[in-house]
Amino acid sequence: MISHRVTQTRPGETREASCLLCGGATTPFLDLGTQPLADRFRSPSDTSAEFTYHLEVGQCGDCSMVQMLHPIERELMFNEHYPYRTSLSSRMSEHFERTAHALVRRADGADPFIVEVGSNDGAVLRHLAVLQVRHLGFEPSSSVARPCADGGLEVIEAFFEERTARDVRERYGPADIIYAANTMCHIPYLGSVLTGADALLAEGGVLIFEDPYLGDIVRFNSFDQFYDEHCYLFSGTSIDVLARSYGFSLVDVERLPVHGGEVRYSLARLGEVAPARRVADLLAHERVHGLHSLDALHGLARRVDRNRRQLLSQLAHCRRQGLTVVGYGATAKSATVCNYVGIDTSMVSRVYDSTPGKQGLLTPGSGIPVVPSAEFGPPYPDVALLFAWNHAQEILERETAFTASGGRWLTYVPEVRLSRLGDVT
Ligand code: SAH
Ligand code: TYD
Ligand code: ZN
């Protein structure tokens, strides 16, 4: 099921690989070195060797998909330890409430059935339940699936793939919509997912998913979107090719201003739904801007290296000046930043985070203590390194006292910047 590549490389070594989806030649363009699992926070008393892998990203010359060259086995990432909780962000909770209502409007039948892939802590499902809409979540991480099921939501603790999708079709009947947020890009075996979607969807049904957009990653140099769970970084072009290979067509795209820029893709079986005009517009935009050219991707790699050097020198400068620097948001993304840049406790003493399952533990690889964000208060540190930059608006609105006390926010996308006031965007 999971593709295992024979090529194993070490940082500094690159080798052409074959595409996880179509087998085409895949050219490496970004080497982010040795990395731990980004969501595996460790107890300070855990002295066992930490799992690491080589984080190298390439692009397939045939289907254009940007992908991880050494994907990680799914059970290592998604299990009873998985700590991420969607609903800890109020802005994302609102986004998913609006999404639940939009899905119900889109389903528009007498008794619609909506399936969510990667339902996490029920941020979408709970609204479907309130609306009394038949729903089912696929969620393999028992840390989040169990509490949802215990709370009365319909959730199965399973990975979505062809076999489990067929089972659900037999037991529950066809689905009007299959929806996934920030999950499709986590799944190496997308062929099995699309075959499963074909088996489960009703006639005229749609597969809708939203994930970080390659165009925004290149635009904002957001290299921390590359980590073990993000096996793919999608674009309109790569999703269009993928859809066609499995009898689907890309019928709609919508830019979303969440998580640093995402696109919501809608797929329907070929010929069942007329494509919206904005699909052709996005594909043309990507072509005109050469999003998939190796020039553009190598340009990204150069800017990422520049940001690494600048962040390191900014942190060294803070240390020389005797400034206290903390992290804000123990994001999965921050694992890439800390381990690629080489950030340790001598530069960032602790990281504040609201996730109960991360507090009291150490950040992966870099070993920085995670402390409750409720403790972020006076006496404030001099500088807060904003790892959760994608939640900047929400965080800055809350932490006005830090900013008012003269505290400075350090950010690293699109470039390294130390801001005195709340002018972080
Ligand atoms: N949809 C939520 C959660 C995203 S995190 C949000 O947007 O915030 C990704 C989630 O997908 C995790 O909870 C993980 O356990 C789940 N996941 C990973 N692979 C999956 C698969 N094959 N099928 C269903 N869920 C999966
Ligand atoms: P997020 O950027 O959503 O995703 P990922 O982990 O995939 O990179 O993670 C946000 C993290 O920041 C999460 O651990 C919760 C934390 N957080 C806070 O501590 N305070 C906040 O106000 C918000 C919005 C998030
Ligand atoms: Zn390919």
Side-chain angles (χ1 to χ4, degrees), residues 78 82 86 96 117-118 120 139-141 159-160 181-183 187 189:
F78 308 117
Y82 191 68
T86 304
F96 288 120
V117 179
N120 197 264
E139 180 46 71
S141 297
F159 289 95
F160 187 93
N182 306 298
T183 300
I187 308 183
Y189 42 98

Side-chain angles (χ1 to χ4, degrees), residues 267-294:
L267 271 53
R269 286 190 199 89
L270 217 55
E272 285 189 357
V273 177
R277 171 71 202 265
R278 48 192 183 173
V279 173
D281 290 347
L282 182 68
L283 298 184
H285 182 85
E286 291 178 359
R287 217 173 22 250
V288 170
H289 287 86
L291 177 61
H292 290 280
S293 71
L294 280 175

Side-chain angles (χ1 to χ4, degrees), residues 50-71:
E50 194 166 8
F51 176 91
T52 58
Y53 72 102
H54 182 189
L55 176 48
E56 205 185 1
V57 188
Q59 178 181 238
C60 173
D62 289 352
C63 75
S64 81
M65 185 66 83
V66 167
Q67 57 196 276
M68 207 71 100
L69 297 190
H70 314 287

Side-chain angles (χ1 to χ4, degrees), residues 114-403:
I114 299 181
V115 169
E116 189 187 8
V117 179
S119 49
N120 197 264
D121 63 358
V124 171
L125 295 185
R126 78 171 73 105
H127 298 290
L128 298 180
V130 168
L131 294 167
Q132 299 189 320
V133 169
R134 279 196 301 135
H135 61 271
L136 180 67
F138 274 84
E139 180 46 71
S141 297
S142 59
S143 53
V144 278
R146 294 243 168 99
C148 283
D150 292 347
L153 298 175
E154 295 293 330
V155 177
I156 54 170
E157 202 178 301
F159 289 95
F160 187 93
E161 58 189 328
E162 183 179 352
R163 182 183 58 80
T164 51
R166 286 190 190 283
D167 283 355
V168 164
R169 166 82 192 220
E170 269 180 30
R171 282 168 47 204
Y172 298 77
D176 299 284
I177 295 182
I178 301 174
Y179 171 72
N182 306 298
T183 300
M184 290 287 274
C185 73
H186 292 55
I187 308 183
Y189 42 98
L190 284 179
S192 173
V193 167
L194 289 188
T195 314
D198 187 27
L200 177 55
L201 281 175
E203 200 185 327
V206 279
L207 168 63
I208 302 175
F209 56 96
E210 60 198 60
D211 290 279
Y213 177 50
L214 180 67
D216 289 319
I217 292 169
V218 171
R219 189 151 69 109
F220 299 124
N221 305 322
S222 37
F223 63 97
D224 51 357
Q225 292 286 12
F226 298 107
Y227 59 92
D228 54 342
E229 291 163 37
H230 287 181
C231 178
Y232 298 114
L233 280 310
F234 297 152
S235 64
T237 307
S238 60
I239 292 302
D240 182 52
V241 175
L242 178 71
R244 287 167 200 273
S245 327
Y246 288 90
F248 282 89
S249 100
L250 177 58
V251 295
D252 204 359
V253 287
E254 184 186 351
R255 302 286 289 263
L256 300 175
V258 295
H259 289 314
E262 301 208 325
V263 170
R264 178 178 285 171
Y265 307 90
S266 299
L267 271 53
R269 286 190 199 89
L270 217 55
E272 285 189 357
V273 177
R277 171 71 202 265
R278 48 192 183 173
V279 173
D281 290 347
L282 182 68
L283 298 184
H285 182 85
E286 291 178 359
R287 217 173 22 250
V288 170
H289 287 86
L291 177 61
H292 290 280
S293 71
L294 280 175
D295 266 2
L297 298 174
H298 284 134
L300 169 68
R302 278 193 300 277
R303 294 190 299 279
V304 168
D305 184 56
R306 177 202 65 193
N307 285 17
R308 177 186 65 77
R309 284 183 277 108
Q310 289 181 349
L311 182 55
L312 200 55
S313 81
Q314 185 62 255
L315 289 169
H317 176 75
C318 289
R319 192 167 49 186
R320 279 196 304 276
Q321 302 278 308
L323 301 176
T324 47
V325 182
V326 303
Y328 200 112
T331 56
K333 292 184 285 296
S334 69
T336 296
V337 181
C338 290
N339 293 285
Y340 171 63
V341 174
I343 297 173
D344 60 19
T345 50
S346 74
M347 298 174 211
V348 173
S349 56
R350 55 196 179 281
V351 184
Y352 290 88
D353 193 280
S354 57
T355 314
K358 296 181 183 177
Q359 295 161 358
L361 301 180
L362 304 179
T363 59
S366 45
I368 305 171
V370 181
V371 295
S373 47
E375 291 175 13
F376 189 72
Y380 281 114
D382 298 303
V383 176
L385 174 51
L386 186 57
F387 287 127
W389 54 266
N390 47 313
H391 299 290
Q393 191 190 344
E394 180 174 345
I395 291 170
L396 292 176
E397 276 168 19
R398 177 168 349 96
E399 305 298 356
T400 48
F402 167 65
T403 324

